Amino acid sequence: MGSSDVVIAGAGIIGLSIANRFLRQTNLSVTVVEAAHKICAGATGAGQGYIWSGHLNPDSKTWDFSRRSIQLWHEFVAEIRASGVDPLEKIGWRDTGSLLFTTGGEESLALHNRLHKVAAAGVQGEFWNSHTAQTAEPALVLGPEGAAAFFPADCQIDARATVEFIQQENRALGPGGRYKEVFGSPVTGFLWSPADKYMQGLQTLNGDFHSKRAVIVSAGAWSSDLLEILSKRFDLDLTPSIRPRKGHLLVVDKTAGLHLNYGTMEFAYTSTKNSKETLDEFGVATTATVDPAGNFLLGSSREFKGFDMTPDEAVIQQILHRAAKFFPALASVPLSSIHPRTGLRPYTPGGVPLIGPIVELPGLFLASGHEGTGLSLALGTAEMIVDTIMERSSSTIFQWSV
Ligand SMILES: Cc1cc2nc3c(=O)[nH]c(=O)nc-3n(C[C@H](O)[C@H](O)[C@H](O)COP(=O)(O)OP(=O)(O)OC[C@H]3O[C@@H](n4cnc5c(N)ncnc54)[C@H](O)[C@@H]3O)c2cc1C
């Protein structure tokens, strides 16, 4: 079906961002092969859009990588601005800042400690008591013991608009066949050359796609299927390193009249995001943001339910029930104004994405397993993969072997 320097499996934010960086920074040609008939078919389409540091733990293995990726987002936005285009209009970019909140008790102290730790690691923040938080964010009701940490530098994107923008840019950067997208072509296998001991492309339902330089698996939660194919064929132990973790996000129509000045997240969310331990059977913890159209986005759940993406009424009710404790106005929103989105986060047991070469199979790279932070980490991932393949010393500090 064709040949290019780089062949990428999966047109989510990770695959398209990697393609974008190759097109911007190298002369290599790129083909993206996608199972669905459109972009945003996976977790990316459900993503809430926060690009935040405040909720991260500086002790985590991914801290420096996250900070680098967020810096790359700022550079990306600066370039959009410099070209005379409004990043709000194109990718829904807003410098809203974020609020990490608690209703009090022991969590207040933990939040305070976290704020100090994050500040010591270079992220500016302020501790707000309940009154200050309520004045700044009237929709959020925390009670007399409540508190919030405010991180002014945190930002938001509209995930779908951003991926569309990156896709358009890829098309503009790669005319004359340097960039190709192939939709409706699930990858079913790998083209391995035993003579060269090198991965030479991907097999799909619609034919083979040959690569001269690198094959990259960035199929989100479905990367697990492709790793299973590799494990069986090459007798490797690559499973179960990635698992689908289902998430619901509720879009509350703007006509319901809910408004926020900041991105918001309950502090308890930070301890459940990378853990198997969750607050309830559906893994619900509250995050709320407003999208560029004015809709109120309410997250989210975390469940291991295989590849089922059907919205679940019980989960929707639990998200609403929990969020109404903090945003009481939600209790009077008619259900007809609430529309669920679901996505499968690519979960890894260690809470760290898998980015880098599969060393047993030269020419093959993995960029997946970003769980709930794939939007934030997309540009850092692209940098890490491109620098690795181009044999540049990476400005990204950590490299993970797969
Ligand atoms: C409810 C929810 C809210 C979230 N909010 C945020 C947030 O605010 N901030 C943040 O940073 N992250 C957030 N995330 C996480 C983020 O959305 C994911 O980490 C990220 O989208 C993963 O991107 P991806 O490209 O790896 O995967 P995906 O977006 O899932 O893309 C993988 C692509 O591969 C394709 N594919 C599958 N199988 C094959 C095959 N065999 N061959 C070819 N293609 C294939 C799929 O169709 C899909 O298009 C959220 C996730 C959820 C579910």
Side-chain angles (χ1 to χ4, degrees), residues 60-147:
S60 72
K61 285 186 194 161
T62 49
W63 172 261
D64 288 321
F65 178 53
S66 303
R67 297 287 294 145
R68 171 65 185 158
S69 194
I70 290 170
Q71 181 191 343
L72 289 169
W73 274 112
H74 283 278
E75 290 172 15
F76 185 76
V77 165
E79 277 182 40
I80 296 177
R81 264 197 201 105
S83 71
V85 175
D86 182 355
L88 170 62
E89 195 186 301
K90 285 293 171 193
I91 66 167
W93 178 270
R94 282 174 309 144
D95 301 281
T96 52
S98 74
L99 285 181
L100 201 54
F101 63 81
T102 172
T103 49
E106 284 177 12
E107 251 188 24
S108 285
L109 182 61
L111 179 62
H112 203 264
N113 291 341
R114 174 66 69 84
L115 175 69
H116 278 289
K117 198 180 253 189
V118 169
V123 176
Q124 192 199 340
E126 287 169 28
F127 197 75
W128 288 356
N129 64 22
S130 182
H131 176 71
T132 310
Q134 170 97 63
T135 308
E137 190 62 279
L140 178 64
V141 176
L142 299 177
E145 305 295 315

Coordinates of all heavy atoms in Angstrom, one line a residue, residues 60-147:
S60 N 6.8 12.0 41.9 CA 6.5 11.0 40.9 C 7.6 10.9 39.8 O 8.3 11.9 39.6 CB 5.2 11.2 40.2 OG 5.3 12.3 39.4
K61 N 7.7 9.7 39.2 CA 8.8 9.5 38.2 C 8.5 10.4 37.0 O 9.4 10.7 36.2 CB 8.7 8.1 37.7 CG 9.3 7.1 38.7 CD 9.3 5.7 38.0 CE 9.5 4.6 39.0 NZ 9.1 3.3 38.5
T62 N 7.3 10.8 36.8 CA 7.0 11.6 35.6 C 7.0 13.1 35.7 O 6.6 13.8 34.8 CB 5.6 11.1 35.1 OG1 4.7 11.2 36.2 CG2 5.5 9.8 34.5
W63 N 7.4 13.6 36.9 CA 7.3 15.0 37.2 C 8.1 15.8 36.2 O 7.5 16.7 35.5 CB 7.8 15.3 38.6 CG 7.9 16.8 38.9 CD1 9.0 17.5 38.9 CD2 6.8 17.7 39.2 NE1 8.7 18.8 39.2 CE2 7.4 19.0 39.4 CE3 5.4 17.5 39.4 CZ2 6.6 20.1 39.7 CZ3 4.7 18.6 39.7 CH2 5.3 19.9 39.9
D64 N 9.4 15.6 36.0 CA 10.2 16.4 35.1 C 9.7 16.3 33.6 O 9.6 17.2 32.9 CB 11.6 16.0 35.1 CG 12.3 16.4 36.4 OD1 12.0 17.5 36.9 OD2 13.1 15.6 37.0
F65 N 9.2 15.1 33.3 CA 8.7 14.8 31.9 C 7.4 15.7 31.7 O 7.2 16.3 30.7 CB 8.5 13.3 31.8 CG 7.9 13.0 30.4 CD1 8.5 13.4 29.3 CD2 6.7 12.2 30.4 CE1 7.9 13.0 28.0 CE2 6.2 11.8 29.2 CZ 6.8 12.3 28.0
S66 N 6.6 15.6 32.7 CA 5.3 16.4 32.6 C 5.6 17.9 32.5 O 5.0 18.6 31.7 CB 4.4 16.2 33.9 OG 4.2 14.9 34.1
R67 N 6.5 18.4 33.3 CA 6.9 19.8 33.3 C 7.4 20.2 31.9 O 7.1 21.2 31.3 CB 7.9 20.2 34.3 CG 7.4 19.9 35.7 CD 6.4 21.0 36.2 NE 7.0 22.3 36.3 CZ 6.4 23.4 36.0 NH1 5.1 23.4 35.6 NH2 7.0 24.6 36.2
R68 N 8.3 19.3 31.3 CA 8.8 19.6 30.0 C 7.7 19.6 28.9 O 7.6 20.5 28.1 CB 9.8 18.5 29.7 CG 10.3 18.5 28.2 CD 11.1 19.8 27.9 NE 11.5 19.8 26.5 CZ 11.8 21.0 25.9 NH1 11.8 22.1 26.5 NH2 12.1 20.9 24.6
S69 N 6.8 18.6 29.1 CA 5.7 18.6 28.1 C 4.8 19.8 28.1 O 4.4 20.4 27.1 CB 4.9 17.3 28.3 OG 4.1 17.1 27.2
I70 N 4.6 20.3 29.4 CA 3.7 21.5 29.5 C 4.5 22.7 28.9 O 3.9 23.6 28.3 CB 3.3 21.6 31.0 CG1 2.3 20.5 31.3 CG2 2.7 23.0 31.2 CD1 1.9 20.4 32.8
Q71 N 5.8 22.7 29.1 CA 6.6 23.8 28.5 C 6.4 23.8 27.0 O 6.3 24.8 26.3 CB 8.0 23.6 28.9 CG 8.9 24.7 28.4 CD 10.4 24.4 28.6 OE1 10.8 23.5 29.4 NE2 11.3 25.1 27.9
L72 N 6.4 22.6 26.4 CA 6.3 22.4 25.0 C 4.9 22.9 24.5 O 4.8 23.5 23.5 CB 6.5 21.0 24.6 CG 8.0 20.5 24.7 CD1 8.1 19.0 24.5 CD2 8.9 21.2 23.6
W73 N 3.9 22.7 25.4 CA 2.5 23.2 25.0 C 2.6 24.7 25.0 O 2.0 25.3 24.1 CB 1.5 22.7 26.0 CG 0.9 21.4 25.7 CD1 1.1 20.3 26.5 CD2 0.0 21.1 24.6 NE1 0.4 19.2 25.9 CE2 -0.3 19.7 24.7 CE3 -0.5 21.8 23.6 CZ2 -1.1 19.0 23.8 CZ3 -1.3 21.1 22.6 CH2 -1.6 19.8 22.8
H74 N 3.3 25.3 25.9 CA 3.3 26.8 25.9 C 4.1 27.3 24.7 O 3.7 28.3 24.1 CB 4.0 27.3 27.2 CG 3.1 27.3 28.4 ND1 2.2 28.3 28.7 CD2 2.9 26.3 29.4 CE1 1.5 28.0 29.8 NE2 1.9 26.8 30.2
E75 N 5.1 26.6 24.3 CA 5.8 27.0 23.1 C 5.0 26.8 21.8 O 5.0 27.7 20.9 CB 7.1 26.2 22.9 CG 8.2 26.5 24.0 CD 9.4 25.6 24.0 OE1 9.6 24.8 23.0 OE2 10.1 25.6 25.0
F76 N 4.2 25.7 21.8 CA 3.3 25.5 20.7 C 2.3 26.6 20.6 O 2.0 27.1 19.5 CB 2.6 24.1 21.0 CG 1.7 23.6 19.9 CD1 2.2 23.0 18.8 CD2 0.3 23.6 20.1 CE1 1.4 22.4 17.8 CE2 -0.5 23.1 19.1 CZ 0.0 22.5 18.0
V77 N 1.7 27.0 21.7 CA 0.7 28.1 21.7 C 1.3 29.4 21.3 O 0.7 30.2 20.6 CB 0.1 28.1 23.1 CG1 -0.7 29.4 23.3 CG2 -0.9 26.9 23.3
A78 N 2.6 29.6 21.8 CA 3.3 30.9 21.4 C 3.4 31.0 19.9 O 3.3 32.0 19.3 CB 4.6 31.0 22.1
E79 N 3.7 29.8 19.3 CA 3.9 29.8 17.8 C 2.5 30.1 17.1 O 2.5 30.7 16.1 CB 4.4 28.4 17.4 CG 5.9 28.2 17.5 CD 6.3 26.9 17.0 OE1 5.8 26.4 16.0 OE2 7.2 26.3 17.6
I80 N 1.5 29.5 17.7 CA 0.2 29.8 17.1 C -0.1 31.3 17.1 O -0.5 31.9 16.1 CB -1.0 29.0 17.8 CG1 -0.7 27.5 17.6 CG2 -2.3 29.3 17.3 CD1 -1.7 26.6 18.4
R81 N 0.1 31.8 18.3 CA -0.1 33.3 18.5 C 0.7 34.1 17.5 O 0.3 35.0 16.9 CB 0.3 33.7 19.9 CG -0.9 33.7 20.8 CD -0.7 34.5 22.1 NE -1.7 34.0 23.0 CZ -1.4 33.2 24.0 NH1 -0.2 32.9 24.3 NH2 -2.4 32.8 24.8
A82 N 2.0 33.7 17.4 CA 3.0 34.4 16.5 C 2.5 34.4 15.1 O 2.8 35.3 14.3 CB 4.4 33.9 16.7
S83 N 1.8 33.4 14.7 CA 1.3 33.3 13.3 C 0.0 34.1 13.1 O -0.6 34.1 12.0 CB 1.1 31.8 12.9 OG -0.1 31.3 13.6
G84 N -0.4 34.8 14.2 CA -1.5 35.7 14.0 C -2.9 35.0 14.3 O -3.9 35.6 14.0
V85 N -2.8 33.8 14.8 CA -4.0 33.1 15.0 C -4.3 33.0 16.5 O -3.4 32.9 17.3 CB -3.9 31.6 14.5 CG1 -5.1 30.8 14.8 CG2 -3.6 31.7 13.0
D86 N -5.6 33.1 16.9 CA -5.9 33.1 18.3 C -6.0 31.6 18.8 O -6.8 30.8 18.3 CB -7.3 33.7 18.5 CG -7.8 33.8 19.9 OD1 -7.0 33.2 20.8 OD2 -8.8 34.3 20.2
P87 N -5.1 31.2 19.8 CA -5.1 29.8 20.2 C -6.4 29.4 20.9 O -6.8 28.2 20.9 CB -3.9 29.7 21.2 CG -3.5 31.1 21.4 CD -4.1 32.0 20.4
L88 N -7.2 30.3 21.4 CA -8.5 30.0 22.0 C -9.4 29.5 20.9 O -10.1 28.5 21.0 CB -9.1 31.2 22.7 CG -10.6 31.1 23.1 CD1 -10.7 30.0 24.1 CD2 -11.1 32.4 23.7
E89 N -9.4 30.2 19.8 CA -10.3 29.9 18.7 C -9.8 28.5 18.0 O -10.7 27.7 17.7 CB -10.1 31.0 17.6 CG -11.2 31.0 16.5 CD -10.8 32.1 15.5 OE1 -10.6 33.3 15.9 OE2 -10.6 31.7 14.4
K90 N -8.5 28.3 17.9 CA -8.1 27.1 17.2 C -8.0 25.9 18.0 O -8.4 24.8 17.6 CB -6.7 27.4 16.6 CG -6.6 28.2 15.4 CD -7.3 27.6 14.3 CE -7.5 28.5 13.1 NZ -8.4 28.0 12.1
I91 N -7.5 26.0 19.3 CA -7.4 24.7 20.1 C -8.1 24.9 21.5 O -7.9 24.0 22.3 CB -5.9 24.3 20.3 CG1 -5.1 25.4 21.1 CG2 -5.2 24.1 18.9 CD1 -3.7 24.8 21.5
G92 N -8.8 25.9 21.6 CA -9.5 26.1 22.9 C -8.6 26.4 24.1 O -8.9 26.1 25.2
W93 N -7.4 27.0 23.8 CA -6.4 27.2 24.8 C -6.9 28.3 25.7 O -7.2 29.4 25.3 CB -5.1 27.6 24.2 CG -4.0 27.9 25.2 CD1 -3.7 29.1 25.7 CD2 -3.1 27.0 25.8 NE1 -2.6 29.0 26.6 CE2 -2.3 27.7 26.6 CE3 -2.9 25.6 25.7 CZ2 -1.2 27.1 27.4 CZ3 -1.9 25.0 26.4 CH2 -1.1 25.7 27.3
R94 N -6.9 28.1 27.0 CA -7.2 29.2 28.0 C -6.3 29.0 29.2 O -6.1 27.9 29.7 CB -8.7 29.1 28.4 CG -9.5 29.7 27.3 CD -11.0 29.5 27.6 NE -11.3 28.2 27.9 CZ -12.2 27.8 28.8 NH1 -12.9 28.7 29.5 NH2 -12.4 26.5 29.1
D95 N -5.8 30.2 29.6 CA -4.9 30.3 30.9 C -5.9 30.5 32.1 O -5.9 31.5 32.7 CB -4.0 31.4 30.7 CG -3.1 31.3 29.5 OD1 -2.1 30.6 29.6 OD2 -3.4 32.0 28.5
T96 N -6.6 29.5 32.4 CA -7.6 29.6 33.4 C -7.0 29.5 34.8 O -7.6 30.0 35.8 CB -8.7 28.5 33.4 OG1 -8.0 27.3 33.3 CG2 -9.6 28.7 32.2
G97 N -5.9 28.8 35.0 CA -5.4 28.4 36.3 C -6.3 27.3 36.8 O -7.3 27.0 36.2
S98 N -5.8 26.6 37.9 CA -6.6 25.5 38.4 C -6.8 25.6 39.9 O -5.9 26.2 40.6 CB -6.0 24.2 38.0 OG -4.9 23.9 38.8
L99 N -7.9 25.0 40.4 CA -8.1 24.9 41.8 C -8.1 23.5 42.2 O -9.0 22.7 41.7 CB -9.4 25.5 42.2 CG -9.6 27.1 42.2 CD1 -11.0 27.4 42.6 CD2 -8.6 27.7 43.2
L100 N -7.3 23.1 43.2 CA -7.3 21.8 43.8 C -8.0 21.9 45.1 O -7.5 22.7 46.0 CB -5.9 21.3 43.9 CG -5.6 19.8 44.1 CD1 -6.1 19.0 42.9 CD2 -4.0 19.6 44.1
F101 N -9.2 21.3 45.3 CA -9.9 21.7 46.5 C -10.3 20.5 47.4 O -10.2 19.3 47.0 CB -11.2 22.4 46.1 CG -12.2 21.5 45.3 CD1 -13.0 20.6 45.9 CD2 -12.2 21.6 43.9 CE1 -13.9 19.8 45.1 CE2 -13.1 20.8 43.1 CZ -13.9 19.9 43.8
T102 N -10.6 20.8 48.6 CA -11.0 19.8 49.6 C -12.1 20.4 50.5 O -12.1 21.7 50.7 CB -9.9 19.3 50.5 OG1 -10.4 18.5 51.5 CG2 -9.1 20.5 51.1
T103 N -13.0 19.6 51.1 CA -14.0 20.1 52.0 C -13.4 20.1 53.4 O -14.1 20.5 54.4 CB -15.2 19.2 52.0 OG1 -14.9 17.9 52.1 CG2 -16.0 19.5 50.7
G104 N -12.2 19.7 53.6 CA -11.5 19.9 54.9 C -11.1 18.6 55.6 O -10.9 17.6 54.9
G105 N -10.9 18.7 56.9 CA -10.4 17.5 57.7 C -8.9 17.3 57.4 O -8.2 18.3 57.1
E106 N -8.5 16.1 57.5 CA -7.1 15.8 57.3 C -6.6 16.2 55.9 O -5.4 16.4 55.7 CB -6.8 14.3 57.5 CG -6.8 13.9 59.0 CD -6.7 12.4 59.2 OE1 -6.3 11.7 58.2 OE2 -6.9 11.9 60.3
E107 N -7.5 16.2 55.0 CA -7.1 16.5 53.6 C -6.5 17.9 53.5 O -5.7 18.1 52.6 CB -8.3 16.3 52.7 CG -8.2 15.1 51.8 CD -9.3 15.1 50.7 OE1 -9.8 16.1 50.4 OE2 -9.5 14.0 50.3
S108 N -7.0 18.8 54.3 CA -6.5 20.2 54.2 C -5.1 20.3 54.5 O -4.3 21.0 53.8 CB -7.2 21.1 55.3 OG -8.5 21.3 54.9
L109 N -4.6 19.5 55.5 CA -3.2 19.5 55.8 C -2.4 18.9 54.6 O -1.3 19.4 54.2 CB -2.9 18.7 57.1 CG -1.5 18.7 57.6 CD1 -1.0 20.1 57.9 CD2 -1.4 17.8 58.8
A110 N -2.9 17.8 54.1 CA -2.3 17.1 53.0 C -2.2 18.1 51.8 O -1.2 18.1 51.1 CB -3.0 15.8 52.6
L111 N -3.3 18.8 51.6 CA -3.3 19.8 50.4 C -2.2 20.9 50.7 O -1.5 21.2 49.7 CB -4.7 20.4 50.3 CG -4.9 21.4 49.2 CD1 -4.6 20.8 47.8 CD2 -6.3 22.0 49.2
H112 N -2.2 21.3 51.9 CA -1.2 22.4 52.2 C 0.2 21.9 52.0 O 1.0 22.6 51.4 CB -1.4 22.7 53.7 CG -0.9 24.1 54.1 ND1 0.4 24.3 54.6 CD2 -1.5 25.3 53.9 CE1 0.5 25.6 54.8 NE2 -0.5 26.2 54.4
N113 N 0.5 20.7 52.4 CA 1.8 20.1 52.2 C 2.1 19.9 50.8 O 3.3 20.2 50.3 CB 1.9 18.7 52.9 CG 1.9 18.9 54.5 OD1 2.2 20.0 55.0 ND2 1.6 17.8 55.2
R114 N 1.1 19.5 50.0 CA 1.3 19.3 48.6 C 1.7 20.6 47.9 O 2.6 20.7 47.1 CB 0.1 18.6 47.9 CG 0.1 18.5 46.4 CD 1.2 17.6 45.9 NE 0.9 16.2 46.3 CZ 0.1 15.5 45.5 NH1 -0.4 15.9 44.4 NH2 -0.2 14.2 45.9
L115 N 0.9 21.6 48.3 CA 1.2 23.0 47.7 C 2.6 23.4 48.0 O 3.3 23.9 47.0 CB 0.2 24.0 48.4 CG 0.4 25.4 48.0 CD1 0.0 25.6 46.5 CD2 -0.4 26.4 48.8
H116 N 3.1 23.2 49.2 CA 4.5 23.5 49.5 C 5.5 22.7 48.6 O 6.5 23.3 48.1 CB 4.8 23.3 51.0 CG 4.3 24.5 51.8 ND1 4.9 25.7 51.7 CD2 3.3 24.6 52.6 CE1 4.3 26.6 52.5 NE2 3.2 25.9 53.0
K117 N 5.2 21.5 48.5 CA 6.1 20.6 47.7 C 6.1 21.0 46.2 O 7.2 21.1 45.6 CB 5.6 19.2 47.8 CG 6.6 18.1 47.5 CD 6.0 16.8 47.6 CE 6.5 16.0 48.8 NZ 6.1 14.6 48.8
V118 N 4.9 21.3 45.7 CA 4.8 21.7 44.3 C 5.5 23.1 44.1 O 6.2 23.3 43.1 CB 3.4 21.7 43.9 CG1 3.2 22.4 42.5 CG2 2.8 20.3 43.8
A119 N 5.3 24.0 45.1 CA 6.0 25.3 45.0 C 7.5 25.1 45.0 O 8.2 25.8 44.3 CB 5.5 26.2 46.2
A120 N 8.0 24.2 45.9 CA 9.4 24.0 46.0 C 10.0 23.5 44.7 O 11.2 23.7 44.4 CB 9.7 23.1 47.2
A121 N 9.1 22.8 43.9 CA 9.6 22.2 42.7 C 9.4 23.2 41.5 O 9.5 22.9 40.4 CB 8.8 20.9 42.4
G122 N 9.0 24.5 41.9 CA 8.9 25.5 40.8 C 7.6 25.9 40.3 O 7.5 26.7 39.3
V123 N 6.5 25.4 40.9 CA 5.1 25.7 40.4 C 4.5 26.7 41.4 O 4.2 26.3 42.5 CB 4.3 24.4 40.2 CG1 2.9 24.8 39.8 CG2 4.9 23.5 39.1
Q124 N 4.2 27.8 40.9 CA 3.6 28.9 41.8 C 2.2 28.5 42.2 O 1.4 28.0 41.4 CB 3.6 30.2 41.0 CG 3.3 31.4 41.9 CD 2.9 32.6 41.0 OE1 3.1 32.6 39.8 NE2 2.2 33.5 41.7
G125 N 1.9 28.7 43.5 CA 0.5 28.4 44.0 C 0.2 29.2 45.2 O 1.1 29.7 45.9
E126 N -1.1 29.2 45.5 CA -1.5 30.0 46.7 C -2.5 29.1 47.5 O -3.3 28.4 46.8 CB -2.3 31.2 46.3 CG -1.5 32.3 45.8 CD -2.4 33.4 45.2 OE1 -3.6 33.6 45.6 OE2 -1.9 34.1 44.3
F127 N -2.5 29.2 48.8 CA -3.5 28.4 49.6 C -4.7 29.3 49.9 O -4.5 30.5 50.4 CB -2.8 28.0 50.9 CG -3.6 26.9 51.6 CD1 -3.6 25.6 51.1 CD2 -4.4 27.1 52.7 CE1 -4.3 24.6 51.7 CE2 -5.1 26.1 53.3 CZ -5.0 24.8 52.8
W128 N -5.9 28.9 49.6 CA -7.0 29.7 49.8 C -7.9 29.0 50.9 O -8.2 27.8 50.8 CB -7.9 29.8 48.5 CG -7.3 30.7 47.5 CD1 -6.1 31.5 47.6 CD2 -7.8 31.0 46.2 NE1 -5.9 32.2 46.4 CE2 -6.9 31.9 45.5 CE3 -8.9 30.5 45.5 CZ2 -7.1 32.3 44.2 CZ3 -9.1 30.9 44.2 CH2 -8.2 31.8 43.6
N129 N -8.5 29.8 51.8 CA -9.4 29.3 52.7 C -10.8 29.2 52.0 O -10.9 29.7 50.8 CB -9.5 30.0 54.0 CG -10.0 31.5 53.8 OD1 -10.6 31.8 52.8 ND2 -9.7 32.3 54.8
S130 N -11.8 28.6 52.7 CA -13.0 28.4 52.0 C -13.7 29.7 51.5 O -14.2 29.7 50.4 CB -14.0 27.7 53.1 OG -15.2 27.4 52.5
H131 N -13.6 30.7 52.3 CA -14.2 32.0 52.0 C -13.6 32.6 50.7 O -14.3 33.0 49.7 CB -14.1 33.0 53.1 CG -14.6 34.3 52.8 ND1 -16.0 34.6 52.6 CD2 -14.0 35.5 52.5 CE1 -16.1 35.9 52.3 NE2 -14.9 36.5 52.2
T132 N -12.2 32.5 50.6 CA -11.5 33.1 49.4 C -11.9 32.2 48.2 O -12.2 32.8 47.1 CB -10.0 33.0 49.7 OG1 -9.7 33.7 50.9 CG2 -9.3 33.8 48.6
A133 N -11.9 30.9 48.4 CA -12.2 30.0 47.3 C -13.7 30.3 46.8 O -13.9 30.4 45.6 CB -12.1 28.6 47.7
Q134 N -14.6 30.4 47.7 CA -16.0 30.7 47.4 C -16.2 32.0 46.6 O -17.0 32.1 45.7 CB -16.8 30.6 48.6 CG -18.3 31.1 48.5 CD -19.2 29.9 48.3 OE1 -19.3 29.1 49.2 NE2 -19.9 29.8 47.2
T135 N -15.4 33.0 47.1 CA -15.5 34.3 46.4 C -15.0 34.3 45.0 O -15.6 34.8 44.1 CB -14.7 35.4 47.3 OG1 -15.2 35.3 48.6 CG2 -15.0 36.8 46.7
A136 N -13.9 33.5 44.9 CA -13.3 33.5 43.5 C -14.0 32.5 42.6 O -14.1 32.8 41.4 CB -11.8 33.0 43.7
E137 N -14.6 31.5 43.2 CA -15.3 30.5 42.3 C -16.7 30.2 42.9 O -16.9 29.2 43.6 CB -14.5 29.2 42.3 CG -14.9 28.2 41.3 CD -14.9 28.7 39.9 OE1 -15.8 29.4 39.5 OE2 -13.9 28.3 39.2
P138 N -17.7 31.1 42.7 CA -18.9 31.0 43.4 C -19.7 29.7 43.2 O -20.4 29.3 44.1 CB -19.8 32.2 42.8 CG -18.7 33.1 42.3 CD -17.6 32.3 41.8
A139 N -19.5 29.0 42.1 CA -20.2 27.7 41.9 C -19.7 26.6 42.8 O -20.4 25.6 43.1 CB -20.0 27.3 40.5
L140 N -18.5 26.8 43.4 CA -17.9 25.7 44.2 C -18.2 26.0 45.7 O -17.8 27.0 46.3 CB -16.4 25.8 44.0 CG -15.5 24.8 44.7 CD1 -15.8 23.3 44.3 CD2 -14.0 25.1 44.4
V141 N -18.8 25.1 46.4 CA -19.2 25.2 47.8 C -18.4 24.2 48.6 O -18.7 23.0 48.4 CB -20.7 25.1 48.0 CG1 -21.1 25.2 49.4 CG2 -21.4 26.2 47.2
L142 N -17.5 24.6 49.5 CA -16.7 23.7 50.2 C -17.0 23.6 51.7 O -16.4 22.8 52.3 CB -15.2 24.2 50.0 CG -14.7 24.2 48.6 CD1 -13.3 24.7 48.5 CD2 -14.7 22.8 48.0
G143 N -17.9 24.4 52.2 CA -18.2 24.4 53.6 C -17.1 25.1 54.4 O -16.0 25.4 53.9
P144 N -17.3 25.3 55.7 CA -16.5 26.2 56.5 C -15.0 25.7 56.6 O -14.1 26.4 56.8 CB -17.1 26.3 57.9 CG -18.2 25.2 57.9 CD -18.5 24.9 56.5
E145 N -14.9 24.3 56.6 CA -13.5 23.7 56.8 C -12.8 23.6 55.5 O -11.6 23.1 55.4 CB -13.7 22.3 57.4 CG -14.4 22.2 58.7 CD -13.7 23.0 59.8 OE1 -12.5 22.8 59.9 OE2 -14.4 23.8 60.5
G146 N -13.4 24.0 54.4 CA -12.8 23.7 53.1 C -11.6 24.6 52.8 O -11.4 25.5 53.4
A147 N -10.9 24.2 51.7 CA -9.7 24.9 51.3 C -9.4 24.6 49.9 O -9.9 23.6 49.4 CB -8.5 24.6 52.2

